[in-house]
Each structure stands twice: as structure tokens, then as C-alpha cells.
Amino acid sequence: MKEPTGNQIKISLWRNSLLRRYLVLSLLVTVLPLLVVTWFYDRFTGELLEDLGEQKVQHSMNATHAALSGFLKARQFELETIVDLPNIERFLSGDPLSPELEPTHALISFETDSFDIYGVLFFDTQWQLKTALPGVASSGPPYWGETEFSLEGLPRIKFADYWLIGPQPPRQGRSGWFLLAAPLPLSSVDTSSSGFVALHLRFASLAELLKGQSRIDGFTPLISTSEGQRFTVNGRPALDKTPSWLSEEFAPGWSIEVVKHHPAVNLSQELRRPVFLLGVGVSVVLVGGFFMALILRIKRRFVPLIEGAEAVSRGDWNIHIPPEGNDEITLLAKAFNRMGGRLQALIDSRLDVEKKAVLGEFSASIAHEVRNPLATIKVCVQSFPIDEDPRNAELITLVLEEIDRVNGVVENLLSFARPFDPERVWVTAGDLLRRLAALIDPLAVRENIQLSLSGDLDARLCIDENQIQQVLMNLALNSIQAMPEGGGLNLAVQSTKENTVIIVGDTGIGMAPESLERATEPFYTTKSQGTGLGLSISKRLVQLNGGHLQMSSEPGAGTRVLLTFNASRETHE
């Protein structure tokens, strides 16, 4: 099939673009309804709600003001009636229970027959209490009890012919109150002195008239007195210090204040618009359904791409993603397939070239430049006559040992550079481990190391027995060297249908994360006498046998090395 040209790809992208289709649909289904609803809401609802809230608060304020003013007016009428009663001034000095004052006392009781009035108080010109007549709601001082009744510290405001005294906030065991007082008429006997008569009023009766205002959401009504004290609808001092939003005076120095906390009108409670709610519900359902379908469709299209990326991360460059449709995701799948094939070829070619160039040149140089001189030196040293001086014999032996050590390093380099191709045969994991245990058991006993075998020892592997035996021996010796104070060395086998894993685990000193990351790099070692090639060669041999070497370790907690081999016979045949 002929590949499309650049212009054809551009046309195809425009005609079949998922981005264009989803963008247009998103705008139509979500943005447009939201813009319309927002415009209506912003244009009408906001102003309407605010106007309704303010009108309701103002209307309630007027009604509350009328109620408070009416309460005080009613008490004024009652007080005027009491002041006009005959012989009223005699209650300042006379016995209120005397037969002469009994008719007047009865009239006072009739006028004060209300639970809003505690009683009637008579004061001299210095506002010292002289007589207290209890009403139906009276209790405690000054009617009963020995506690002194005083007006000291209470604010007094004079308006017209009346005095407004208080309020006295509620205290423990006592209710709040205030006084409405008027001057007594001058006595016909002694015109030089007079006094005052006052209604002892229940302050909570006045504050309770705010309850109609308190039913408006978002607003709190308070009574403010001349000294700036604020009281709630229960007649108690208000703790809220928020400035008032609206204030109106109902008596000299006394005002109704409204504190605003949040919007006055709640849409769900005050504006139940069935059409609006239905429209919102339909919009939500449409938006939710659209995006759910969109998510499911995109997820289905992207799952193969994600699985392909995971396969590539595992090193499987031959993954093929079947293209579907004719849009951006299809082009991405095709590009991904081409990228995988080209990267696989490029990596294989690059690795092969570098491996042959570097290792071949390196191994040849080592073989010719080191091994031959080492052999000559060793022969020459061995031909030296040994005299009677033991120091000369010791030096000759030391030189020969160092020559052998250097030769061993050269052998490791050559093994790393040019390992033999594995000759794979089917072997039992238990045979490998038992043979390894027999070889290292004397060394383990000497180093106080407990050796153990566990797991599925009957699992079979298709490997080069000698190469894997070399790997296991190298790992076991490393573990023994990592346990200078003794410990435990466990050789285990785990098998599944897909893989067989040989585990070499110790309880040694472990490795730091930075050392673990570089442990299999050539020439990297933490040992003073190491060459840094043991684990590199082991990893290379395991890979040649179709396996994978993986290490995990924690400082002070030991090290585990896992050799994972494919258990499928077809993989190796």
C-alpha cells in the first residue's frame, strides 16, 4: 500500500481529527449551556436575590421596630396610669399595706398584671429605693431577700417626662431587667420633695420581639444600648463583634442592629424554580454521559499503546500495535511500530559493533602484552637458586604468587571479553546446588556459616552446566566473604510454569544502594583485593544462557541474588 504524502496526511488529520471533533462537541455540550445559564444567573438572579434579601430585611426591620416601640409605648401608658392614681406619692413613705392605700395598691396590681413586669418601684429624688410592690412575675430582690437593690453604674436616659434606666444584663440566678420611670406628683403636704415611680420590666420580653427578624437566613438581629452594649434575642450579651449592616433607633440611645454574615437568601429555599433545576439536571446528565463515553473510547484506544510502551520498557522491541481507524491515535500506533523495529535494529547493531571493537581489541592487547611476559618472568623466577637465606625463598614464593594472581586477572578479562558459547543441556537445579554445596561446605564450616538448601530442587533448566556452576560458585564465595562473623547462606529454587529462579541469599553486611546499582559494572569493586569482574562475568554468562541476574540488598541485612531462567522447553530448542 502506498504511503500518504505530507499534504494527504494533513487533509486526513483535518477530516478525521479526534481533537477537532471532541473540541466542537465539548463546546456544544458543556461550554454553551454553561455560558447561557451563567449569563441568565448573572443577569437576573444575582440582582433579584440581593433585592429580595434587602427588602425582606428592611420589611422585617420595620415590623420589629414597630413591635419594640409599641412595647415601650404600652408600658408608658401603664406608667402614666399609675402616676395619676390618688395618693400615689404616699408610697414613698407610707405603708403600702395600710387601709388607706389599699385601693391604690389594688389599682397598681391591676395595671401591672403582666408577666413582662416584675413589679413597681418607688425611688426618692436620689434614686434610692423606698418601696417595692411585686407583680405576678416578681421573684427575688428587691421584693424578697436581703440583697441590696442599687441602680449604680446603670445608664440613665431621659426622654420627654420619662427615664429609661439600664439594662441590667442577666447574672447567675437573676434575669435581666430595665426600668421605665416617671416623676411622682408633688405631695400636697410637703411640696419640697418628690420622687420617681418605675416599672421593673423583664428585659427578655423586649429582646424576644427580635425573633421575627432572626428568622431571615444570614442576618442576626441585636439590641444596642446607649453604652454600646449589644444583646441577643434571649436578652444575653452578644459575643459577636461584627459591625452592624443596618441600624435603626427605637428609643433614645437604644437601637435595633442587624449583623450580616452571609447572603440573605438561599436559592434552594427561597427560589424553587422547577424549570431551572430540571435544566441543570439535564445538563449534568448530558455532560456526565458525554465525558464518560469519551473517556471509555479514549481508554480503549490507548490501552494498546500503553501495553506497547510497557513491552518496550521490558526490552521487547518487536511489539506490534494493530492500528484502528484513521486519526491521530492510528498514526501514533503506526509510528510506534516503526520506532520499535528501527530501535531494535539500531541497538543490536550498535551493541554488536561496540562489543566487537572494544572487547576484541582489549582482549588481544591483554593476551599479547601481559600473558607472555608473565610466563617468561615466572620461568625465570622459578630458575633462581634457593640459598640458605630463608628470606630469599620467601621473596621468590611471594613473586610467584603475585604472578599467578595477575595471570588470574588476565584470565578473567579474557573470559569477560570472549566467553565461550554455552552448550545447553537439561539439568536439575538440585544437582547444581548439591554440587555447589559439596564444594563450599568445608569453607563454610571454617567460617562458621550455616549452609541450607530449599525449594523445588527437582526443577529443570536448559543451560550450560559448567558456566552456571561457575556463576553459582562466584556468588557463593562473595556471600561467604560478606559474612566475616559467620551467618547463614541459603540456596533455594522457586519454579512456575514460565520461570525457574535460583536464589543465593546471605545474612552478611549487605551493600549500600549506590554500590548495589554499580555491582555488575566491569572493574567496579568494594574489595581491596578484588578485580571487579566476578559479577560482570556472572551476569554475562547468565544472559548467554537466556537468563536474568537481579540483586537486592540492604546494609546490615544481607544480599539476595536471583538467577531467573525461562522454564519453557520450546524457548531453548
Side-chain angles (χ1 to χ4, degrees):
M1 181 177 178
K2 184 178 179 181
E3 292 290 333
T5 63
N7 291 333
Q8 290 174 333
I9 291 177
K10 290 181 180 179
I11 295 174
S12 177
L13 282 172
W14 173 246
R15 290 179 177 176
N16 302 284
S17 174
L18 287 174
L19 294 177
R20 181 182 63 84
R21 293 202 298 267
Y22 292 151
L23 177 61
V24 173
L25 289 175
S26 298
L27 291 175
L28 292 176
V29 176
T30 61
V31 177
L32 186 59
L34 288 177
L35 289 177
V36 173
V37 172
T38 302
W39 185 84
F40 276 106
Y41 182 84
D42 184 66
R43 179 66 179 84
F44 299 109
T45 310
E47 296 178 1
L48 177 61
L49 294 179
E50 188 159 348
D51 290 344
L52 287 175
E54 291 180 358
Q55 291 176 11
K56 189 172 183 179
V57 171
Q58 188 62 55
H59 181 270
S60 179
M61 172 72 82
N62 295 335
T64 305
H65 180 273
L68 294 173
S69 300
F71 180 89
L72 294 180
K73 282 288 185 182
R75 304 291 85 79
Q76 289 178 24
F77 293 148
E78 293 170 353
L79 189 58
E80 288 177 359
T81 302
I82 293 173
V83 170
D84 292 337
L85 291 175
N87 299 321
I88 190 66
E89 70 278 359
R90 295 181 60 183
F91 280 89
L92 282 173
S93 57
D95 183 5
L97 300 179
S98 64
E100 296 179 2
L101 297 179
E102 184 176 349
T104 304
H105 190 182
L107 292 173
I108 292 175
S109 298
F110 177 78
E111 291 294 336
T112 58
D113 186 15
S114 170
F115 285 100
D116 297 330
I117 304 175
Y118 291 130
V120 179
L121 306 179
F122 293 86
F123 299 90
D124 61 15
T125 57
Q126 302 300 318
W127 292 100
Q128 299 298 317
L129 180 64
K130 295 300 181 179
T131 305
L133 300 180
V136 295
S138 62
S139 63
Y143 312 103
W144 295 277
E146 299 179 355
T147 306
E148 182 181 355
F149 185 84
S150 174
L151 302 182
E152 184 178 356
L154 295 179
R156 303 174 191 175
I157 300 176
K158 188 175 186 302
F159 64 101
D161 294 329
Y162 299 94
W163 292 85
L164 192 59
I165 304 173
Q168 173 66 58
R171 293 176 291 176
Q172 186 174 8
R174 299 184 184 180
S175 301
W177 52 267
F178 71 101
L179 302 180
L180 183 63
L184 288 168
L186 295 175
S187 172
S188 60
V189 178
D190 184 6
T191 60
S192 63
S193 64
S194 182
F196 301 92
V197 60
L199 292 179
H200 188 195
L201 300 173
R202 178 174 174 263
F203 184 65
S205 296
L206 183 69
E208 286 172 355
L209 298 176
L210 299 176
K211 287 186 177 180
Q213 185 90 16
S214 66
R215 294 190 181 95
I216 303 177
D217 293 336
F219 294 90
T220 301
L222 303 171
I223 289 181
S224 175
T225 62
S226 58
E227 294 189 346
Q229 289 183 296
R230 302 165 88 182
F231 297 88
T232 66
V233 295
N234 298 319
R236 298 185 177 276
L239 301 178
D240 191 352
K241 303 300 182 183
T242 306
S244 61
W245 176 73
L246 189 62
S247 177
E248 187 172 345
E249 189 176 78
F250 65 91
W254 290 33
S255 304
I256 310 170
E257 291 190 358
V258 177
V259 176
K260 184 177 182 180
H261 296 287
H262 50 77
V265 182
N266 188 311
L267 179 63
S268 63
Q269 296 178 355
E270 302 295 335
L271 295 179
R272 299 185 180 275
R273 298 173 177 266
V275 176
F276 175 78
L277 294 179
L278 179 62
V280 171
V282 172
S283 298
V284 170
V285 172
L286 289 176
V287 171
F290 168 75
F291 279 106
M292 181 61 68
L294 178 63
I295 290 172
L296 293 177
R297 175 178 173 81
I298 293 178
K299 180 181 178 181
R300 182 176 62 84
R301 298 293 304 279
F302 274 103
V303 165
L305 292 174
I306 297 173
E307 293 176 348
E310 291 290 341
V312 170
S313 68
R314 296 191 300 266
D316 184 7
W317 298 97
N318 295 320
I319 187 69
H320 178 75
I321 301 174
E324 297 180 5
N326 187 21
D327 49 35
E328 290 89 341
I329 299 179
T330 304
L331 296 177
L332 181 59
K334 293 179 180 179
F336 192 93
N337 293 335
R338 291 195 298 269
M339 178 191 70
R342 292 174 182 175
L343 282 177
Q344 180 65 61
L346 180 62
I347 291 175
D348 291 343
S349 175
R350 182 70 178 270
L351 288 177
D352 186 60
V353 170
E354 291 183 356
K355 185 188 300 182
K356 290 179 180 178
V358 176
L359 296 183
E361 188 175 329
F362 181 74
S363 61
S365 174
I366 291 296
H368 291 287
E369 300 298 333
V370 178
R371 296 188 70 185
N372 291 338
L374 281 177
T376 302
I377 294 171
K378 185 174 182 179
V379 172
C380 293
V381 171
Q382 289 175 336
S383 65
F384 287 164
I386 302 176
D387 51 22
E388 297 178 355
D389 190 348
R391 290 179 299 177
N392 292 336
E394 183 180 354
L395 288 174
I396 292 174
T397 302
L398 181 61
V399 171
L400 291 175
E401 290 177 354
E402 290 300 312
I403 291 173
D404 291 337
R405 188 177 70 83
V406 174
N407 190 60
V409 173
V410 174
E411 291 291 344
N412 285 336
L413 289 173
L414 292 176
S415 297
F416 177 74
R418 294 197 302 250
F420 294 104
D421 292 333
E423 298 180 1
R424 300 186 188 181
V425 294
W426 285 98
V427 298
T428 303
D431 294 339
L432 287 174
L433 298 184
R434 282 188 284 268
R435 180 180 176 186
L436 174 65
L439 292 174
I440 65 173
D441 185 64
L443 179 60
V445 172
R446 187 181 69 187
E447 299 294 335
N448 192 26
I449 293 174
Q450 184 69 32
L451 185 63
S452 63
L453 277 71
S454 61
D456 185 9
L457 299 179
D458 294 329
R460 301 185 65 208
L461 305 169
C462 186
I463 56 174
D464 187 310
E465 185 175 4
N466 292 330
Q467 289 182 349
I468 301 305
Q469 192 74 59
Q470 177 184 346
V471 171
L472 293 174
M473 176 64 73
N474 184 37
L475 297 177
L477 292 177
N478 285 347
S479 294
I480 292 174
Q481 293 173 6
M483 295 183 287
E485 303 297 331
L489 176 59
N490 181 40
L491 306 175
V493 181
Q494 296 178 354
S495 62
T496 63
K497 292 182 179 180
E498 294 79 17
N499 298 314
T500 298
V501 183
I502 299 177
I503 304 172
V504 180
D506 62 62
T507 59
I509 59 176
M511 290 185 288
E514 58 272 12
S515 298
L516 180 65
E517 186 177 353
R518 301 185 57 192
T520 57
E521 293 182 6
F523 308 109
Y524 177 79
T525 181
T526 57
K527 304 176 184 177
S528 58
Q529 300 294 327
T531 62
L533 288 173
L535 288 176
S536 300
I537 293 173
S538 298
K539 181 178 180 180
R540 182 79 182 281
L541 292 177
V542 171
Q543 290 175 342
L544 288 174
N545 283 269
H548 175 67
L549 185 146
Q550 183 179 2
M551 300 180 65
S552 62
S553 180
E554 293 184 11
T559 303
R560 280 167 52 92
V561 182
L562 282 68
L563 307 181
T564 304
F565 298 95
N566 197 314
S568 175
R569 175 184 294 270
E570 289 77 7
T571 303
H572 306 292
E573 291 182 352

